[in-house]
Amino acid sequence: MKFPLPPVQTDAHAERCPVRDVLDCIGDRWSLLTLAALSNGTLRFTRLKHAIGDISARMLAQTLRVLERDGYVLRQVYPTIPPKVEYTLTALGRSLLVKIIPLIEWAGKNHPRIRKARKTYVPPAANPAL
Amino acid sequence: MKFPLPPVQTDAHAERCPVRDVLDCIGDRWSLLTLAALSNGTLRFTRLKHAIGDISARMLAQTLRVLERDGYVLRQVYPTIPPKVEYTLTALGRSLLVKIIPLIEWAGKNHPRIRKARKTYVPPAANPAL
DNA sequence: CCGTATCCTGTTCGATACTG
DNA sequence: CAGTATCGAACAGGATACGG
């Protein structure tokens, strides 16, 4: 692997702030989307890639390694030709997803509000008060 | 600002995938932690910085601009000397936080499991099956 | 099919110094 | 106090080519 898995925090630091330790790993660009794509069941690599849409093979592989390492995803290899690799959420992964789904639903519902806020936003630099 | 706000997706793209549009903005390294730090009420810049702990002033300012732009956080300036700036969650920000708190609690509870998974993980490259 | 190796570009972000 | 400007290192991540 020339994309070494992202370094994990030291034990001491992670112990003091578990949230940070977890969010550092799954709070990146692809992890949540990958977990969500696996929510409907087992998927093979290419299917998973298409389900996410615009992820590159490189990033998908890397993301899956981390999710696998942390115990969210199970990787099952069938040494056939051509090879077949299946990815499935573990119990841990599903329990995490349960907490994430409300967030995704919230995003869908409140998106218009956010778009509107963006349109009316004036950056502080343009504000004569400061 | 020499750290221009992260570009927002085109209208067409954001329309098709609101989740991505939202997660691209709040799924970064600091946004969730910043929102969480504001959950107990209004905070001034320096207090907020200390509450988060290891964020730099640069990143805190940048993160707050995005949160402000998207309508999660209200920025209130008191043109006194020395200046005083207060940050408060908006109703939108609080409603988002409600969805995030379970995630944070989950992280705290399941952290040991994750740590354990990491210790026993063997990367695929070392696996002779592939 | 399921990746990895290499290359390369843009972005991120901390450190430092500075200002009203 | 509440930031901004600038620099530079590290990282993210796409494109491409290739391999079992």
Side-chain angles (χ1 to χ4, degrees):
Chain A
M1 270 185 289
K2 245 322 171 358
F3 39 82
L5 300 190
V8 176
Q9 300 185 348
T10 64
D11 283 10
H13 192 305
E15 203 71 39
R16 284 208 316 278
C17 187
V19 185
R20 265 299 295 278
D21 189 33
V22 172
L23 287 184
D24 277 354
C25 291
I26 63 154
D28 72 315
R29 190 176 176 76
W30 300 113
S31 296
L32 290 184
L33 294 166
T34 304
L35 291 173
L38 287 172
S39 62
N40 292 330
T42 298
L43 280 181
R44 295 177 64 179
F45 187 88
T46 303
R47 306 270 288 186
L48 185 51
K49 185 173 182 312
H50 285 130
I52 298 175
D54 52 352
I55 191 173
S56 65
R58 185 184 181 278
M59 288 315 296
L60 180 55
Q62 180 178 346
T63 301
L64 285 168
R65 293 303 159 270
V66 174
L67 296 179
E68 201 194 344
R69 181 200 65 187
D70 288 1
Y72 301 129
V73 164
L74 179 69
R75 179 175 182 263
Q76 227 157 353
V77 180
Y78 301 89
T80 57
I81 293 176
K84 175 175 167 181
V85 181
E86 287 182 345
Y87 293 93
T88 313
L89 289 182
T90 63
L92 187 69
R94 282 193 302 274
S95 81
L96 171 59
L97 198 56
V98 165
K99 307 298 177 185
I100 290 172
I101 286 172
L103 190 61
I104 294 177
E105 287 171 350
W106 184 95
K109 188 178 297 179
N110 292 275
H111 193 229
R113 232 176 298 238
I114 295 163
R115 305 282 299 281
K116 189 179 168 194
R118 282 178 189 163
K119 290 210 192 303
T120 62
Y121 176 63
V122 181
N127 187 345
L130 187 63
Chain B
M1 271 186 285
K2 245 321 170 356
F3 40 83
L5 300 190
V8 176
Q9 300 185 348
T10 64
D11 282 11
H13 193 306
E15 201 72 37
R16 284 207 314 281
C17 187
V19 184
R20 264 298 294 277
D21 188 32
V22 172
L23 286 184
D24 277 356
C25 291
I26 64 154
D28 71 314
R29 191 176 174 77
W30 299 114
S31 295
L32 291 184
L33 293 165
T34 304
L35 291 174
L38 286 173
S39 62
N40 292 331
T42 298
L43 280 180
R44 296 177 63 178
F45 187 88
T46 303
R47 305 271 286 186
L48 184 51
K49 184 173 183 310
H50 285 131
I52 297 174
D54 51 352
I55 192 174
S56 64
R58 185 183 180 280
M59 288 315 298
L60 180 55
Q62 180 178 346
T63 302
L64 285 168
R65 291 304 160 269
V66 174
L67 296 179
E68 200 194 345
R69 181 202 64 188
D70 288 2
Y72 302 127
V73 165
L74 179 69
R75 178 174 182 266
Q76 227 157 353
V77 180
Y78 301 88
T80 56
I81 294 177
K84 175 176 169 181
V85 180
E86 287 182 345
Y87 293 94
T88 312
L89 290 182
T90 63
L92 187 69
R94 282 194 302 274
S95 82
L96 171 59
L97 196 57
V98 165
K99 306 298 177 184
I100 290 172
I101 285 172
L103 190 62
I104 294 176
E105 287 171 350
W106 184 95
K109 188 179 298 180
N110 292 275
H111 194 230
R113 233 176 297 237
I114 295 164
R115 305 282 299 279
K116 189 179 168 194
R118 282 178 191 164
K119 290 210 193 301
T120 62
Y121 175 65
V122 180
N127 186 346
L130 190 63

